[in-house]
Amino acid sequence: MKRIKMVLYAEPGVGKSVFACHAPKPFFICTDGNYEWLIEFGAKEEDHVNVSSWSTIKDIISHPERFDGYETIVLDLTEDSFKWCESEFCVRNKIDHISDLGYGKGYDTTRNEFFITISKLLSLDKNVILLMHGLSVVEKDRRGVEHTKHVPTSRIPDKVLDMIEGRVRYFLRAYVKDEEQSDGTVKKKRYLSLVPKPNEFGIIRGVDENTIPQDIPLDWN
C-alpha cells in the first residue's frame, strides 16, 4: 500500500486540522491544544496526545508502537516542534540564544536533530501529515511591481523546509476563497492547491501536472 507523506500549510482557520482528521484512522500529536475543536468534526478524544516539549515529541516518535491501530500520524503544528527543539538545545547548553555558540554550530545541531526526527516519522509505514501555518508575503520584482507570494511559516528556516520538502510527495497549500452563489450570497469555499502555482512554495511528485486538476476541494475524499 502506498502511504501519503505530505506537508500541508495554510493560514489559521482554513481547515488544515479538519482535513487531516478525516484521513484514515488518524492519530494527532498536538502542540497547540486545539484538538478539542476537532471532536465536533468527528475526531475521537483518545486519538491524540497533547505535547508541550520537543523531548516528548522525540520520545513518542521513537516508540512507533504507540501508533499501532492507526493508519495516519498528524503533527499539528510542525513549527512549534522546531522552536521547542531550539529552546531545549539552549537549555541543555546553558545559553540564552541559539547563536551564542558561534560559527553556526547551534543552528546546524538543532536543524539536524529536528530533520532526523522528522525523517524517522516520515519513514514509518503510515500516512504522515505535517501541518504548518502559512503566510502571504508581498515582494517586489526588479521593476518594482509588487507580487503576493504564499509560503509556509517563517518559524522554520528555509533550509529545513527544503530538506523536508525532499522527503515528501506532497508539499501543498490550502486556502479559503469567497464565492458568490446563484442567489447572490457569498460562501467561503476551502481548496487544496493540488498543483503549486508560480507564487506558491510547494511540490507534487509522481503525477502529470497537465492532466490533473489545479485545485480541488479541501476534503480528504
Side-chain angles (χ1 to χ4, degrees):
M1 177 186 297
K2 290 184 178 180
R3 299 296 191 179
I4 291 176
K5 314 291 183 176
M6 76 177 301
V7 177
L8 179 64
Y9 71 94
E11 296 182 9
V14 170
K16 304 180 296 296
S17 300
V18 173
F19 170 81
C21 83
H22 291 138
K25 297 181 181 178
F27 182 86
F28 275 68
I29 303 172
C30 299
T31 69
D32 60 7
N34 288 333
Y35 185 85
E36 61 181 299
W37 307 116
L38 295 179
I39 295 175
E40 299 179 17
F41 295 93
K44 298 178 180 178
E45 174 67 28
E46 64 269 22
D47 294 344
H48 87 290
V49 58
N50 285 323
V51 295
S52 57
S53 71
W54 172 241
S55 57
T56 302
I57 294 173
K58 284 199 302 180
D59 182 67
I60 292 171
I61 293 174
S62 64
H63 292 85
E65 65 274 8
R66 178 72 178 267
F67 307 131
D68 288 351
Y70 295 98
E71 294 184 24
T72 305
I73 311 303
V74 183
L75 180 56
D76 185 8
L77 291 155
T78 308
E79 61 262 37
D80 288 346
S81 308
F82 180 77
K83 298 311 291 186
W84 291 342
C85 177
E86 285 191 329
S87 176
E88 291 178 27
F89 177 84
C90 291
V91 171
R92 289 197 306 268
N93 290 275
K94 299 179 180 179
I95 56 178
D96 293 326
H97 190 268
I98 199 76
S99 63
D100 290 350
L101 292 182
Y103 301 105
K105 181 179 179 181
Y107 291 105
D108 288 342
T109 302
T110 52
R111 291 172 184 181
N112 289 337
E113 178 181 334
F114 180 77
F115 178 66
I116 289 170
T117 301
I118 294 299
S119 294
K120 288 179 181 178
L121 178 60
L122 291 168
S123 70
L124 297 179
D125 185 23
K126 308 283 184 182
N127 301 313
V128 178
I129 305 174
L130 307 177
L131 299 182
M132 302 179 183
H133 282 143
L135 301 170
S136 296
V137 297
V138 177
E139 298 180 346
K140 289 185 178 181
D141 62 22
R142 60 183 181 179
R143 296 174 298 171
V145 178
E146 294 185 343
H147 300 274
T148 299
K149 188 173 183 179
H150 304 289
V151 297
T153 175
S154 59
R155 297 179 67 204
I156 300 179
D158 290 344
K159 290 183 178 179
V160 178
L161 290 173
D162 288 341
M163 289 191 294
I164 294 175
E165 185 255 22
R167 292 297 178 96
V168 297
R169 185 176 182 186
Y170 309 96
F171 199 126
L172 302 175
R173 169 183 173 248
Y175 65 94
V176 173
K177 182 179 180 181
D178 290 336
E179 294 187 357
E180 185 174 353
Q181 308 301 297
S182 58
D183 60 1
T185 61
V186 176
K187 187 175 182 180
K188 291 185 180 296
K189 295 289 188 70
R190 290 165 166 80
Y191 289 98
L192 179 67
S193 181
L194 191 60
V195 178
K197 315 303 184 289
N199 67 334
E200 292 175 341
F201 183 99
I203 195 168
I204 183 171
R205 293 182 166 93
V207 299
D208 183 348
E209 296 182 5
N210 296 311
T211 61
I212 64 173
Q214 297 288 302
D215 302 86
I216 58 175
L218 185 62
D219 180 281
W220 184 266
N221 294 323

